[in-house]
Amino acid sequence: MTTNSCDVVVVGGGPVGLMLACELRLGGASVVVLERLTEIDTTIKAGAVNTPSAEAFYRRGLLPALAAEQERALRKVTEFVRQRAAESGAPPGPVKMAPRFSGHFAGIPLSADLLDAADPDFDGRGPADHVGLVPQATVEEVLAAHAEALGVDVRRGTAVTGFDQGPDQGPDQGFEHGFDQGADGVTVRTTAGTLRAGWLVGCDGGRSLVRKTAGFDFPGTDPEITGHQALVELANAEGLRLGWNTTATGIYAFGPMPGRILTVEFDGAPQDRDAPVTEAEMQASIRAVTGVDVTVTRVHTATRFTDNARQATTYRLGRVLLAGDAAHVHSPFGGQGLNLGLGDALNLGWKLAATVRGDAPDGLLDTYTAERHPLGAWVLEWTRAQIAVMRPDPRARALRTVVGDLMGTVTGTTYFVKKISGVRQRYDLGTSHPLVGASAPDFAFADGGRLADLLHDGRALLLDLTDDAALRGRAEGYGERLRTHTAACPDQPKLAAVLVRPDGYVAWAADAGGDAGAASDGLTAALSRWLGEPAR
């Protein structure tokens, strides 16, 4: 690789880095992804996507690939449950699958039968509401194919060794393609040469070189557990119980996929996070936690994890930004890590692309930290709370009983599922309309179309539901930054118009029958705030 240039260098080609790169390309930025691994990482990690993540894939036309993988996963789960039932001598019969993936809190399973599915927070999600059980490796495969289709330059087998920032001319001074090599920007040194970029984004994991080199503060709490998750082949495993289980020494989960096991030991952090997980190590951990003398005959894939919980105080220093685990680390309980990182990428991508194009309004890039940092802080607290409830000491076990009782109610189950699934996520955008700051409903139009069909290209969308030419006139001059669409929506008789940001979140909304002048002024203000000024 010879010295060259691009608008943005993304360090890390996992799901977060690939999602960010795709969003940047949709916004017109040139981007190079640097990934030290030569192949997609198939190590067992996250096993599910939440509702905001599924919506993001749906809005970019990628949901069918995830749905197909979920079908394959459910077939494996069904077969595993049948096999275990047969081994126990239970009569054969149909395997009942939950109507909705509900998850767990601190290893306490949530029952889908207790969920109030009529809660309005679950409304309007469309097909994305039915996709969740998708492993991280599949997410990465889908995004890698999407990146290739968009022409993203992904350079595998290339590690970053360091970088330098040039003098900064201001928070929103971006680069066009072919910018002056001597201008402000970032010089990135790699094992294959040097690149010059306008911006650098670290998506390189919890031990991020980008974060450390740039000097981001990363405060938090130290770990007290060592966890293992693996796909293994076992002998003498009859004593293992399916699902989540508490023992005198820790917590373990067996299934729902064949050979999948997770253990949690409260013995501090592992001495060596980087060493391969051996059969002997997995066997010792399973025996210590479960009390069952299993024999691990083969490890297909395995990983260690801890509850180290830290978050960067800001996600941007000059021309260097962070996303995903580079910005925040925590234990994996509740399946928040992958989804939090994908949300970072979706939020940052269009804002950084607008900055690169030079048409971003003042302060747009600063809203990335303002909007995503509170969600990251919540996830850290959510995972810390689970560790407190998982401890094997008598006080924690007493607390676990109380929490379990609350989770065993309709109100409790619905509360926890809404938190875990992400359906309550929203940004504080300073207005009182209930849709503003929330993920846009998947509006079903009278002509059979849906909102997600209009968001594949990553542009903002003004949806006019009352054929108001005057309102649409306020949106003229934005060119490729904004799509305007007029349609009837029988399910939304009270709604007049909605402005949807490129990330699928509602920036402005007006109800039918309201003050037309105020609505027009509100739209103009929202367009200026999020898209800048129209072309003269």
Side-chain angles (χ1 to χ4, degrees):
M1 182 173 63
T2 59
T3 300
N4 52 20
S5 65
C6 62
D7 293 319
V8 184
V9 166
V10 175
V11 182
V16 176
L18 290 172
M19 174 67 89
L20 175 61
C22 292
E23 292 300 299
L24 287 166
R25 283 299 300 137
L26 286 173
S30 62
V31 55
V32 173
V33 177
L34 302 175
E35 170 54 54
R36 62 180 179 82
L37 298 179
T38 58
E39 302 290 341
I40 289 176
D41 186 4
T42 58
T43 304
I44 184 171
K45 293 180 181 177
V49 295
N50 67 4
T51 300
S53 295
E55 286 179 322
F57 282 91
Y58 176 40
R59 290 164 178 162
R60 299 299 184 252
L62 304 174
L63 193 65
L66 298 190
E69 176 58 32
Q70 178 173 265
E71 286 300 313
R72 287 190 289 270
L74 289 175
R75 286 196 295 269
K76 291 180 180 179
V77 170
T78 300
E79 182 56 34
F80 180 55
V81 173
R82 285 194 181 120
Q83 177 185 340
R84 292 289 295 186
E87 291 171 355
S88 67
V95 177
K96 179 184 177 183
M97 302 303 295
R100 176 188 291 271
F101 177 72
S102 301
H104 72 92
F105 180 84
I108 306 173
L110 288 153
S111 172
D113 293 333
L114 291 174
L115 179 67
D116 180 9
D119 189 289
D121 284 327
F122 294 118
D123 289 344
R125 305 292 173 171
D129 195 37
H130 306 290
V131 175
L133 192 62
V134 182
Q136 181 166 324
T138 297
V139 171
E140 187 170 340
E141 290 172 359
V142 170
L143 287 172
H146 186 43
E148 182 178 7
L150 291 173
V152 174
D153 185 356
V154 179
R155 303 179 183 180
R156 290 194 169 272
T158 302
V160 173
T161 58
F163 60 86
D164 299 296
Q165 284 199 73
D168 193 13
Q169 293 182 348
D172 294 327
Q173 180 65 40
F175 285 101
E176 307 273 17
H177 299 293
F179 61 87
D180 182 358
Q181 291 282 333
D184 298 339
V186 184
T187 301
V188 184
R189 298 182 297 278
T190 81
T191 54
T194 302
L195 293 92
R196 179 81 176 151
W199 300 87
L200 174 67
V201 186
C203 302
D204 50 340
R207 287 169 279 182
S208 168
L209 173 72
V210 173
R211 184 188 67 237
K212 294 173 182 177
T213 303
F216 285 85
D217 291 332
F218 201 51
T221 51
D222 294 329
E224 60 179 281
I225 71 165
T226 292
H228 292 86
Q229 183 175 208
L231 285 176
V232 298
E233 293 181 15
L234 295 170
N236 308 316
E238 295 79 9
L240 297 179
R241 300 187 299 274
L242 287 178
W244 287 91
N245 302 276
T246 58
T247 71
T249 54
I251 301 263
Y252 78 93
F254 185 43
M257 305 297 290
R260 184 260 187 177
I261 191 160
L262 180 148
T263 60
V264 180
E265 299 175 80
F266 284 81
D267 56 357
Q271 293 183 350
D272 188 351
R273 286 286 306 276
D274 296 320
V277 180
T278 64
E279 295 171 2
E281 181 181 345
M282 277 306 308
Q283 179 173 289
S285 180
I286 295 170
R287 289 183 175 186
V289 175
T290 69
V292 180
D293 288 333
V294 303
T295 300
V296 176
T297 59
R298 184 179 179 185
V299 175
H300 292 283
T301 175
T303 185
R304 299 181 194 86
F305 61 87
T306 74
D307 60 319
N308 183 35
R310 299 183 179 277
Q311 183 181 26
T313 53
T314 179
Y315 292 175
R316 177 190 173 197
L317 289 176
R319 293 188 174 274
V320 180
L321 300 107
L322 303 176
D325 289 349
H328 36 69
V329 295
H330 49 83
S331 75
F333 302 121
Q336 300 297 321
L338 169 64
N339 296 295
L340 183 62
L342 292 174
D344 290 346
L346 198 70
N347 187 285
L348 173 60
W350 69 277
K351 296 173 180 177
L352 185 53
T355 302
V356 166
R357 294 194 308 266
D359 54 36
D362 290 342
L364 179 66
L365 200 53
D366 292 329
T367 66
Y368 169 55
T369 295
E371 292 179 0
R372 295 303 299 176
H373 197 278
L375 284 174
W378 170 79
V379 168
L380 262 66
E381 291 296 276
W382 187 258
T383 57
R384 287 185 180 117
Q386 291 182 80
I387 294 299
V389 178
M390 296 172 97
R391 293 184 184 122
D393 66 84
R395 293 180 180 85
R397 288 297 163 87
L399 176 62
R400 186 179 185 84
T401 300
V402 174
V403 173
D405 287 345
L406 293 173
M407 291 172 62
T409 65
V410 171
T411 300
T413 294
T414 304
Y415 166 83
F416 279 95
V417 171
K418 288 199 292 187
K419 288 286 191 178
I420 293 169
S421 68
V423 298
R424 291 295 303 275
Q425 286 185 15
R426 61 186 305 125
Y427 302 130
D428 182 4
L429 303 187
T431 62
S432 59
H433 195 284
L435 284 181
V436 173
S439 179
D442 188 36
F443 297 117
F445 306 131
D447 62 4
R450 301 190 77 100
L451 177 77
D453 301 330
L454 305 174
L455 299 177
H456 289 188
D457 59 5
R459 287 190 286 169
L461 170 70
L462 175 61
L463 182 61
D464 172 18
L465 300 177
T466 59
D467 197 6
D468 187 338
L471 194 68
R472 294 196 302 274
R474 293 290 187 112
E476 292 179 353
Y478 284 94
E480 290 301 308
R481 285 177 279 170
L482 177 68
R483 176 199 295 267
T484 300
H485 184 76
T486 301
C489 188
D491 293 338
Q492 298 288 336
K494 296 181 179 180
L495 196 61
V498 178
L499 176 64
V500 182
R501 303 191 320 189
D503 58 359
Y505 282 75
V506 177
W508 167 88
D511 291 327
D515 186 329
S520 293
D521 291 344
L523 174 60
T524 299
L527 288 168
S528 176
R529 178 181 181 185
W530 298 111
L531 301 184
E533 297 306 315
R536 293 181 180 272

